Amino acid sequence: MKQLVFTTDWENKLVDIIRKNKVYDDFPKFEDYHITAEDFYDYISEKQFILDRIDNRKHQFVVPGMLLILPIIILSVFYNNLYGLMGGVGIGLVLCGLYYLIANNIDNSKLKRLHNEAMEQYATAVLQY
């Protein structure tokens, strides 16, 4: 999780460092890591897209709000008492939890499939330069 804290502008940071320092001899070269510039830029843009989606989910509450309110509305049609309300709230909370669980698992599995050790080592070397 620590990685997600500084990733809001991870791609731009890497691109700026590479653009400013690629002329220096001691700067890490793509060839040393057996990757191409095009593949690396594709990799970091895909990873940044997934990281942005994870970050945006923390700040957007439309889908979880709908999942929370919809069961309350539906159950209020059939039950006009406190038990119907509490049941709707409980079902809504379960649906919101499932939404976050499934969405996070999908994004984490995409990050794992996308992971390329050579690209990560080059990104680390660039950030440490």
Side-chain angles (χ1 to χ4, degrees):
M1 275 309 190
K2 189 175 183 181
Q3 179 186 12
L4 299 180
V5 173
F6 68 89
T7 56
T8 55
D9 204 20
W10 181 73
E11 178 185 11
N12 291 335
K13 185 184 225 182
L14 279 171
V15 171
D16 285 345
I17 292 171
I18 292 170
R19 184 177 40 83
K20 290 177 184 175
N21 299 313
K22 67 182 175 182
V23 295
Y24 299 117
D25 292 333
D26 61 339
F27 188 74
K29 305 284 186 237
F30 292 111
E31 300 82 30
D32 296 341
Y33 293 87
H34 307 291
I35 58 176
T36 63
E38 183 178 316
D39 290 341
F40 181 72
Y41 291 130
D42 289 343
Y43 175 79
I44 62 173
S45 66
E46 288 177 30
K47 185 173 179 179
Q48 185 66 50
F49 176 75
I50 295 171
L51 294 174
D52 286 342
R53 189 169 52 195
I54 292 170
D55 190 48
N56 285 340
R57 192 174 304 114
K58 294 177 185 177
H59 304 290
Q60 295 176 348
F61 299 112
V62 174
V63 174
M66 292 298 293
L67 290 173
L68 182 63
I69 293 173
L70 196 59
I72 297 170
I73 294 171
I74 292 172
L75 287 179
S76 69
V77 171
F78 300 108
Y79 303 103
N80 195 13
N81 56 20
L82 183 62
Y83 298 117
L85 175 67
M86 291 301 161
V89 170
I91 293 170
L93 288 173
V94 168
L95 289 175
C96 287
L98 285 174
Y99 167 73
Y100 280 118
L101 182 70
I102 292 170
N104 285 335
N105 283 339
I106 289 171
D107 288 337
N108 287 335
S109 69
K110 286 183 180 182
L111 277 175
K112 286 179 185 175
R113 273 186 304 204
L114 181 66
H115 183 78
N116 184 331
E117 192 60 37
M119 302 284 187
E120 290 293 330
Q121 287 176 354
Y122 182 74
T124 303
V126 168
L127 289 172
Q128 289 177 351
Y129 181 74

